[in-house]
Amino acid sequence: FVLLKNNDVLPIKKTYKRMAIVGPFADNVYQLYGDYNSDIDLTKKFAKTPKVGLSGLAQDQEFTTGCPDPHCTTYNSASVKEAVSGADVVVVCLGLGVALEAESNDRRDIDLPGHQLQLLKDAASSAAGAPVIVLLFNAGAVDVSFALQSSSVSAMLACFYPGQATGDALYYSLTAKTPWAIPAGRMPATWPASLDQYPNITVYAMEGQTYRYFKGDALVPFGFGLSYTQFKYLSLDVSPSSIDPGQEVTAKVKLQNIGQYEADEVIQVYISWPVGLPAPIRQLAAFDRVALKPNQTIEVTLLIK
């Protein structure tokens, strides 16, 4: 999971009296697997959806899909508002699924499909100040600018396609049940702010393509990801200071966990070249994932080959 937003709502450390879970992915087991999933559990009887996995977060649970499938062309606004009204916490499950993201199925835009954005807005307004947590189930970019910018949305995770263990994984992650369940994932691709930031598909030049050549402000940049704790980078030492072609470079990074939770941090090293050279604007050259306890300081050595 990649934590995209968190206004001090996560991790959940209490049992709510009433939870509402809404959206076309809340209990649609077949849409949680992605296009290239295993056929081992054909009946999906061992799978846990968000609705099932998160049931332990509250004494009572109100549930409605709002729309029957990810296309969300048919939408029951009243059912969403009724389910959310009076809830102590609201979980909204949105995305694309294999219904919209599969072989031979291209999208014309990066909008949330059908009435999904309206569903989110209805849930946020009906929550009346209760925490709203958005869970996204997709691989390609979707425009979630409303969720990122709205003060009515408290937290958002990019869940991608977790498959059979979706419900269990979400429960572990949202409650920080173990240190390794705290989100430390990073975005594997740039999510642009609009279609205007996409190059024409018939142009094969690298300009504007991938995070390496992307210019402008992305909605969610490549490599982005939050945590429940905070890390402070204390120093960076790069050696040698100059190299001949083909030589390797060593980067030593010192960092400290200055937050409350033991968690993983993903250290990323990017390199860039002098202006004017036919080279990427930036390129991920090394990374490492390390675990730190609160107040722990470590030094990590990364090799740029």
Side-chain angles (χ1 to χ4, degrees):
F1 301 147
V2 178
L3 183 61
L4 299 177
K5 179 179 181 179
N6 186 23
N7 293 343
D8 297 323
V9 167
L10 300 177
I12 296 171
K13 289 299 184 183
K14 62 181 180 180
T15 301
Y16 290 98
K17 184 176 180 181
R18 185 171 177 269
M19 177 179 73
I21 182 163
V22 300
F25 288 84
D27 200 36
N28 193 333
V29 64
Y30 288 96
Q31 296 298 327
L32 301 173
Y33 279 72
D35 197 25
Y36 290 98
N37 69 81
S38 168
D39 289 333
I40 292 174
D41 184 17
L42 291 174
T43 63
K44 304 292 187 285
K45 68 177 182 178
F46 297 111
K48 284 189 180 180
T49 62
K51 174 180 179 288
V52 175
L54 299 180
S55 60
L57 295 180
Q59 298 173 17
D60 297 306
Q61 184 188 82
E62 294 291 333
F63 160 72
T64 183
T65 61
C67 38
D69 56 59
H71 291 279
C72 207
T73 52
T74 303
Y75 171 51
N76 187 336
S77 175
S79 69
V80 171
K81 293 178 180 178
E82 182 180 354
V84 170
S85 180
D88 300 306
V89 63
V90 178
V91 178
V92 184
C93 303
L94 308 173
L96 301 174
V98 291
L100 288 138
E101 204 164 43
E103 288 284 4
S104 304
N105 190 5
D106 295 332
R107 290 182 291 145
R108 294 181 179 273
D109 52 51
I110 57 173
D111 298 339
L112 284 167
H115 295 281
Q116 284 195 36
L117 178 57
Q118 188 58 53
L119 188 157
L120 173 58
K121 289 181 177 180
D122 288 345
S125 62
S126 300
V132 175
I133 302 168
V134 176
L135 305 178
L136 298 173
F137 300 92
N138 58 288
V142 287
D143 183 358
V144 287
S145 53
F146 171 80
L148 287 172
Q149 297 164 10
S150 174
S151 59
S152 299
V153 176
S154 308
M156 178 163 56
L157 281 88
C159 303
F160 306 97
Y161 296 115
Q164 179 173 294
T166 296
D168 286 334
L170 283 171
Y171 182 83
Y172 270 64
S173 189
L174 294 183
T175 60
K177 188 173 177 64
T178 63
W180 50 259
I182 292 178
R186 299 294 185 262
M187 288 300 295
T190 300
W191 284 11
S194 68
L195 281 180
D196 297 337
Q197 292 180 334
Y198 272 113
N200 191 308
I201 197 171
T202 63
V203 176
Y204 286 83
M206 285 305 298
E207 184 177 358
Q209 303 272 18
T210 76
Y211 78 95
R212 295 182 301 154
Y213 297 90
F214 183 84
K215 296 180 180 178
D217 296 322
L219 181 68
V220 185
F222 173 89
F224 178 82
L226 303 175
S227 175
Y228 296 158
T229 193
Q230 295 84 42
F231 298 95
K232 184 177 182 179
Y233 284 74
L234 304 173
S235 65
L236 169 65
D237 178 63
V238 179
S239 62
S241 57
S242 62
I243 59 170
D244 293 324
Q247 272 191 290
E248 296 176 340
V249 173
T250 298
K252 290 186 177 180
V253 182
K254 185 178 291 185
L255 71 156
Q256 181 181 16
N257 182 348
I258 60 172
Q260 303 177 36
Y261 298 97
E262 178 182 355
D264 290 357
E265 168 70 338
V266 176
I267 305 165
Q268 304 174 66
V269 177
Y270 291 84
I271 57 176
S272 59
W273 288 263
V275 176
L277 291 179
I281 302 169
R282 67 191 71 80
Q283 182 161 317
L284 183 66
F287 68 91
D288 197 5
R289 179 167 176 153
V290 294
L292 288 91
K293 297 179 180 179
N295 298 318
Q296 183 182 4
T297 300
I298 62 171
E299 185 176 71
V300 179
T301 300
L302 299 107
L303 185 65
I304 304 173
K305 293 187 176 182

